[in-house]
Amino acid sequence: MKIYHLHHSGFLIQFDDKTLIFDCFTHIPTSLLRKNIPHYFFVTHGHGDHYTADIFSMDRIYKPTYILSSDIPKVSTFQTHTMEPYQHMSLGGMDIRTFGSTDQGLSYYIATNQHRIFHAGDLNWWDWDTKLKPEIDPEQEEIDFKAEIEKMKNLPMEFAFVPVDPRLGDSFYKAGQYFIETFHPKVMIPMHFMDDFGIIKKFKDKIGNTETIIPEFNQRNVKIKNTWSEEI
């Protein structure tokens, strides 16, 4: 299993028999794509920092399949599946479950190749500064986030991709901390920070000691160093 950070909330995960691609809206280097290996594109919602229709131009030699949130129109001639929150589907050796979001679309929980992967999309504790967003109700944002987490609390979490958004100011860490304290995932990979890679170290410093591994990376299209096993 190899994990590559593409950009923002975009990640590419390689297994021997398949590649999973989450929330890609930038160009994927061809060096990360493998001919005649199935490539599964997961899109949590249609916001421009999570989705581009360019993913549908993927060459046939990469055997693309698309798993999309229902707010995204079907424009591909390849195999495409549309999902709503709280649905279940078996596909390509994967057990795929969807959950909700505290913004648009959904989040994905995937069991495959003996691993458990969660991608939150825009499921986040959106504790905005009310001076910046006076329409936000901070108490309701907390209630909504924790209620969604409660719906999946009995699921084993191994690899979790969770927003750590610097735009939230002093509250940037809340979703990640709550996720770690609730699920104790083996690995939590921060996302949704555009190119502010320094937020990863700030998050680790804020969280302090934890058994959950929080890998650091500092550029786009880079392989995340495997510090959690000797598999790679």
Side-chain angles (χ1 to χ4, degrees):
M1 178 182 181
K2 299 177 182 178
I3 302 175
Y4 294 84
H5 171 66
L6 299 176
H7 184 210
H8 196 48
S9 297
F11 292 88
L12 182 149
I13 303 176
Q14 290 182 348
F15 295 104
D16 290 340
D17 62 338
K18 65 174 71 73
T19 293
L20 315 185
I21 301 168
F22 293 89
D23 280 6
C24 175
F25 71 103
T26 52
H27 174 71
I28 303 174
T30 54
S31 60
L32 301 185
L33 303 173
R34 298 173 294 166
K35 296 179 181 179
N36 301 313
I37 295 287
H39 288 67
Y40 296 92
F41 285 80
F42 292 85
V43 184
T44 61
H45 63 291
H47 286 168
D49 60 340
H50 292 257
Y51 162 74
T52 173
D54 290 346
I55 62 174
F56 298 124
S57 63
M58 180 64 57
D59 194 295
R60 189 175 297 277
I61 61 174
Y62 301 119
K63 298 184 177 181
T65 295
Y66 302 93
I67 302 94
L68 311 175
S69 170
S70 61
D71 63 303
I72 298 171
K74 289 184 179 181
V75 296
S76 173
T77 58
F78 296 111
Q79 187 177 17
T80 302
H81 303 270
T82 297
M83 301 190 75
E84 299 274 359
Y86 319 118
Q87 291 186 334
H88 172 252
M89 175 174 65
S90 295
L91 176 70
M94 297 178 287
D95 186 82
I96 303 168
R97 298 178 184 274
T98 58
F99 290 90
S101 174
T102 45
D103 196 336
Q104 186 170 318
L106 46 74
S107 48
Y108 289 105
Y109 179 87
I110 301 165
T112 187
N113 297 65
Q114 299 181 328
H115 293 292
R116 303 293 184 270
I117 299 164
F118 178 73
H119 191 287
D122 266 357
L123 172 60
N124 194 12
W125 185 337
W126 294 109
D127 188 21
W128 290 98
D129 184 339
T130 53
K131 294 179 181 178
L132 297 176
K133 290 185 177 286
E135 73 278 10
I136 293 294
D137 180 347
E139 292 184 3
Q140 189 61 49
E141 293 295 331
E142 177 178 355
I143 290 170
D144 291 346
F145 175 73
K146 291 182 176 179
E148 194 60 41
I149 293 298
E150 180 72 14
K151 295 172 184 175
M152 61 185 84
K153 70 175 184 179
N154 293 322
L155 293 173
M157 293 285 179
E158 186 182 7
F159 292 88
F161 299 82
V162 179
V164 176
D165 193 323
R167 298 175 302 163
L168 295 176
D170 293 341
S171 297
F172 77 95
Y173 69 94
K174 286 187 174 182
Q177 182 183 60
Y178 190 80
F179 200 94
I180 288 174
E181 291 174 349
T182 302
F183 296 108
H184 308 287
K186 183 176 183 179
V187 181
M188 199 206 94
I189 299 177
M191 66 177 191
H192 210 274
F193 50 75
M194 285 297 182
D195 291 308
D196 188 356
F197 293 96
I199 201 71
I200 301 176
K201 187 177 186 306
K202 291 179 182 177
F203 178 71
K204 293 178 71 172
D205 290 344
K206 184 72 176 181
I207 296 300
N209 293 330
T210 174
E211 293 184 0
T212 294
I213 296 166
I214 305 169
E216 294 188 52
F217 45 97
N218 58 13
Q219 62 187 46
R220 302 183 192 181
N221 302 318
V222 65
K223 179 182 173 184
I224 295 177
K225 184 178 180 182
N226 182 358
T227 59
W228 52 84
S229 74
E230 299 177 356
E231 183 181 345
I232 300 175

